[in-house]
Amino acid sequence: MEPVTETNGAASPNAESARLTAADSGSAPWRDWGPYLSERAWGTVREDYSDDGEAWDFFPHDHARSRTYRWNEDGMAGFCDEGQNWCLSLALWNGTDPMLKERMFGLSGPEGNHGEDVKEYWWYTDATPTHSWNSWRYHYPQQAFPYADLVAENARRSAAEPEYELIDTGIFDDDRYWVVNVDYAKAGPRDVLMSITLENAGPEAATIEVLPTLNFRNTWSWGYPDHPKPSLRRVGDRIIGDHSRSGPLALVGEGSPDLLFCDNETNVPKLFGAEPTTPYPKDGINDFVVNGADSVNPDQEGTKAALRYKVSLGPGESTQIRVRLVGVNSPGVDTDATALSTAQIDVAAGFDAVVAARRTEADEFYDGVIPVAPNSEEYRVARQAFAGLLWGKQFYHYDVSRSLSGDPDQPPPPPGRGAIRNGAWPNLDAHDVILMPDPWEYPWFAAWDLAFHCVTLAHIDPEFAKDQLILLLREWYMHPNGQIPAYEWNFSDVNPPVHAWAAIRVFEIGGKQDFTFLAKVFHKLLLNFTWWVDNKDRAGDNLFEGGFMGLDNIAPLDRSKLPPSVGYLEQADSTGWMAMYALDLLDIALRLALKDPAYEDIATKFAEHFLTISAAANSSAMWDEDDAYYYDVFHGADGVDVPVKVKSLVGLVPLRAVLAYDIGEIDEALPDFKERALWYLANHPELADTFQTCDIDGVRHRLLALVPQDRLVRMLGTVFDESEMLSDYGIRAISAWHREHPFSMQVGDHVATVDYEPAESTNGLFGGNSNWRGPIWMPLNVLLIEALHDYDRLAPGELQVEYPTGSGNKIGVREAADDVSRRLVSIFLPGADGRRPVHGWYDKMATDPRWKDNLPFHEYFHGDTGMGLGASHQTGWTALVAHLIITTGQHTHTKPGETP
């Protein structure tokens, strides 16, 4: 068998685009294999069968190497098939650690002084949408990994202190670490070349053990006859796998590695003191390599296997290990394991040519996507942002009904589990590849995160982005009542309704022609919009609640847990989101109505619904005329209404409720819509500021906006004040004015407070690992930028603001928005001192050649310095930086009625 592709190892122009076309048409399964293996499966809700819902405690990290997962697998630098029947990953051992490095170590939520936190350094350095090329990098200490020190020191530190990171232990100070690069290159849809490059960064010779590992996800231990036990066995120089669902596989390594086998089954005696199910359990290879135990199968068969290499290198030396995984339907391979057992599989011949070709094809693909010079820093940032987004695609498996009831061959779960979490979601039955917020800290989907992921992904893979948006609206995700599941820890929580906005952006970026996609999304979102109206407008006055709303601890109190006996909040953000939602559905309805007049009436409905929400918001106590800002309003049980006067992103969400469109074609094609709009304005003259028109080059434009332009300019005085919300790195979540002026309010017997916290939170809400009380968050900044672009469309360049506030410099709102975009991108760019703000105070990360150009895409960023904080591999919505690089300064989307 020759290790070549249809291009014989030579790069061809736009080859990745051709693979995407083949995948989308169904002619070649290029997406079937990919980096869909999570970095963490322990400590998740899926694996929690406790009676108290403490998922972190029920399945801790220390169990992960010995205990079988029920729903998903994890591993480092992992690949698997789209159903995760098999998993290929990397294990390492430095000769001193107490365990193989098979998965990334981190603290659970209760262990961290700021919640859960991974304590490793790895980067997703490159990837293509079909995963024909994926690249990953890891820095592995040569000294004993300081597991106990990391746990103890973080436990000692208070919430007022920063997290204690691996680099803080000093373990990298003398460069005694391994640089491990893993490149995957597909020689065909089911033919993957895995290149492992090792560099000894240290000052002395060192030895490392490298174990590319193949295992089958355990689907056979739960008692279902349609999941027979698969097998891995040694045949000659290779590992042969046979699986009823994924078909046969062959894993072959260059040279003569040792082949080690055990079973992907729990070490029951070790963990639970019960009788073993196998003499060679899941941690058998670990115990054999680390402790010399008799724990691998001498018959060389099982359901987990590894190729074992022992590598010694001098200081600065490097070497490469070549591995190949071949499935059925590869060139020269029939559809059974016998063919793979006997085929000539030469790993080395042609290997490097295929890897080089895929790398070159990746360059050609991104050169056509990212509109800046390939050697520029902005290009580097965008490319790595895309890479992290693509590596964040994970297989997600969770059948809520089956999880609550238990499996036939397992002990029954404790009673009452449905009352702890997700008991109202028996319809949710996930078995899909999904864009995750973060492969370690958040290895489960989150509804509004996914919307932002899809907008960025649409620049490189619009069909997959469309499929993702539709997925969460399907009947095995969306609740029968119309609610979209929020996230695994509580599907019933409420995320901002940004699905319609994302669908419009993906439609536009993907070519503006897929009206079938728009219609599919629109029909399901009608149900969701109705759910919102029925459930989150307590008083029926078009002022909405919602509680959590994804902004975690931005408020002085937990907005989801106010007892009715105390009162309730009408929320400026929820009301703004719903006004935006109505406009987004109006936008979609108008586009569809121009193709099919049957949508005209529903367009009228959403126009009028937006106007009623806008009128309610602008005439309510949410708007503070003196402060020129929107606030939540607390309605106390004693009848007293108290504005929650915190200048934060909560009060900026109403700005996002804005839509500009061309009147001409719409008025001509949709006369009933025009007639109703004119009637509504004539009968509601108080809405004149919400509904504006303007002629531009002979074309009449209309703007619908919750925030009238005079209020907008006044609000932007706060937003663009560098002593308040405008940072050098974007818009802060809360005004820095609150640093010296904390806000407090009495709620029942409790005094709730909030101040400006530019870095990690000192507040324990939501596990203590989220902070919306000052840092910069990419998604809300992007929405604000888009809103200002929309305001500018009514009269380009005419709406002027002082920027920054107090400077005396007057510019257009679009120009101001583009500068905010520039500030956000600058978080990742070298400054005048050569340091990237994202690296913060860590000199090694900022200046060391082996570190400084490897970019982490954090969850959020320090409100004053731009340093990355929170989840350190949050490559989901922070990948929006690539969207900004591509679109800043451009008209990024059309309006209903505007010719593309």
Side-chain angles (χ1 to χ4, degrees), residues 135-364:
S135 189
W136 175 97
R137 180 183 177 102
Y138 174 51
H139 290 178
Y140 179 41
Q142 294 174 358
Q143 303 170 62
F145 196 92
Y147 292 104
D149 181 33
L150 289 166
V151 173
E153 177 60 18
N154 279 284
R156 186 197 66 77
R157 293 191 178 192
S158 71
E161 298 173 277
E163 296 168 343
Y164 182 60
E165 305 291 4
L166 179 60
I167 200 167
D168 294 323
T169 68
I171 201 165
F172 295 108
D173 287 354
D174 58 1
D175 288 336
R176 296 179 189 272
Y177 64 93
W178 294 96
V179 177
V180 184
N181 287 288
V182 177
D183 298 326
Y184 286 103
K186 287 185 180 178
R190 295 190 175 101
D191 190 350
V192 170
L193 311 182
M194 180 186 192
S195 172
I196 306 165
T197 304
L198 305 155
E199 179 193 0
N200 178 6
E204 299 174 353
T207 298
I208 185 172
E209 299 211 24
V210 183
L211 298 97
T213 302
L214 179 67
N215 71 273
F216 288 126
R217 179 168 63 88
N218 191 319
T219 60
W220 59 89
S221 292
W222 321 113
Y224 300 99
D226 58 337
H227 286 277
K229 186 176 181 177
S231 67
L232 294 167
R233 65 189 186 280
R234 178 170 190 160
V235 178
D237 63 347
R238 67 200 62 178
I239 296 168
I240 297 295
D242 204 356
H243 196 290
S244 63
R245 302 204 171 206
S246 63
L249 299 165
L251 181 69
V252 189
E254 183 181 22
S256 302
D258 295 333
L259 274 58
L260 308 177
F261 292 79
C262 65
D263 288 312
N264 186 16
E265 298 185 29
T266 299
N267 189 334
V268 181
K270 174 183 176 181
L271 296 182
F272 306 113
E275 290 297 316
T277 59
T278 171
Y280 311 107
K282 179 179 177 179
D283 53 13
I285 294 173
N286 173 89
D287 291 352
F288 176 80
V289 173
V290 175
N291 303 317
D294 186 17
S295 55
V296 295
N297 192 337
D299 294 332
Q300 297 192 303
E301 62 183 16
T303 50
K304 177 179 178 180
L307 307 171
R308 182 189 188 188
Y309 292 89
K310 193 169 186 177
V311 176
S312 296
L313 294 174
E317 290 184 346
S318 63
T319 192
Q320 181 185 20
I321 295 172
R322 299 174 178 87
V323 176
R324 185 178 179 194
L325 179 69
V326 182
V328 298
N329 299 325
S330 294
V333 179
D334 294 326
T335 57
D336 57 40
T338 302
L340 288 174
S341 301
T342 59
Q344 294 297 316
I345 304 177
D346 188 342
V347 177
F351 187 105
D352 292 343
V354 172
V355 170
R358 296 299 165 266
R359 189 194 305 266
T360 298
E361 290 164 359
D363 291 342
E364 293 169 345

Side-chain angles (χ1 to χ4, degrees), residues 466-487:
K466 294 173 192 175
D467 290 345
Q468 290 283 285
L469 289 173
I470 290 172
L471 180 65
L472 288 199
L473 305 179
R474 293 305 304 268
E475 55 275 13
W476 58 91
Y477 286 89
M478 177 182 270
H479 197 279
N481 65 15
Q483 185 177 8
I484 297 173
Y487 58 102

Side-chain angles (χ1 to χ4, degrees), residues 37 39 75-79 88-90 104 136 182 184 194 391:
L37 182 64
E39 300 281 1
M76 301 195 307
F79 250 51
L88 175 64
S89 61
L90 181 67
M104 298 301 179
W136 175 97
V182 177
Y184 286 103
M194 180 186 192
W391 273 94

Side-chain angles (χ1 to χ4, degrees), residues 54-136:
E54 297 296 331
W56 290 112
D57 296 334
F58 185 79
F59 202 132
H61 174 268
D62 197 45
H63 281 203
R65 66 184 179 278
S66 306
R67 184 171 166 185
T68 300
Y69 296 119
R70 170 62 182 90
W71 297 101
N72 293 75
E73 291 286 343
D74 60 13
M76 301 195 307
F79 250 51
C80 68
D81 63 324
E82 62 179 355
Q84 202 172 87
N85 297 292
W86 58 264
C87 306
L88 175 64
S89 61
L90 181 67
L92 304 166
W93 190 50
N94 57 15
T96 60
D97 282 350
M99 67 188 82
L100 291 182
K101 182 64 68 175
E102 295 179 277
R103 58 189 51 80
M104 298 301 179
F105 172 72
L107 303 183
S108 69
E111 288 176 325
N113 62 323
H114 294 285
E116 67 265 27
D117 184 34
V118 68
K119 301 298 183 185
E120 306 264 14
Y121 297 107
W122 80 101
W123 300 269
Y124 307 118
T125 51
D126 210 0
T128 57
T130 66
H131 310 296
S132 61
W133 170 253
N134 272 61
S135 189
W136 175 97

Side-chain angles (χ1 to χ4, degrees), residues 427 466-485 497 499-500 503 515-533 581 585 588-589 592 599 602 606:
N427 67 293
K466 294 173 192 175
D467 290 345
Q468 290 283 285
L469 289 173
I470 290 172
L471 180 65
L472 288 199
L473 305 179
R474 293 305 304 268
E475 55 275 13
W476 58 91
Y477 286 89
M478 177 182 270
H479 197 279
N481 65 15
Q483 185 177 8
I484 297 173
H499 227 76
F515 291 95
T516 300
F517 159 71
L518 268 190
K520 283 185 175 182
V521 170
F522 183 73
H523 295 153
K524 286 298 186 71
L525 290 180
L526 291 176
L527 301 176
N528 182 246
F529 187 89
T530 302
W531 176 87
W532 271 91
V533 172
Y581 199 179
L585 291 177
I588 296 175
L592 294 173
Y599 289 93
I602 198 70
F606 283 113

Side-chain angles (χ1 to χ4, degrees), residues 661-718:
Y661 65 91
D662 297 346
I663 296 175
E665 183 181 359
I666 287 175
D667 281 0
E668 181 178 347
L670 308 175
D672 185 68
F673 178 78
K674 173 186 176 182
E675 182 179 346
R676 281 294 300 175
L678 293 175
W679 179 93
Y680 204 86
L681 281 177
N683 286 273
H684 296 279
E686 74 278 6
L687 297 177
D689 287 342
T690 308
F691 209 124
Q692 301 179 38
T693 59
C694 181
D695 290 328
I696 305 173
D697 298 328
V699 177
R700 197 151 213 214
H701 294 257
R702 179 168 288 150
L703 180 80
L704 281 76
L706 186 153
V707 181
Q709 290 188 11
D710 60 329
R711 287 188 179 182
L712 170 71
V713 172
R714 294 177 64 201
M715 289 180 70
L716 292 179
T718 295

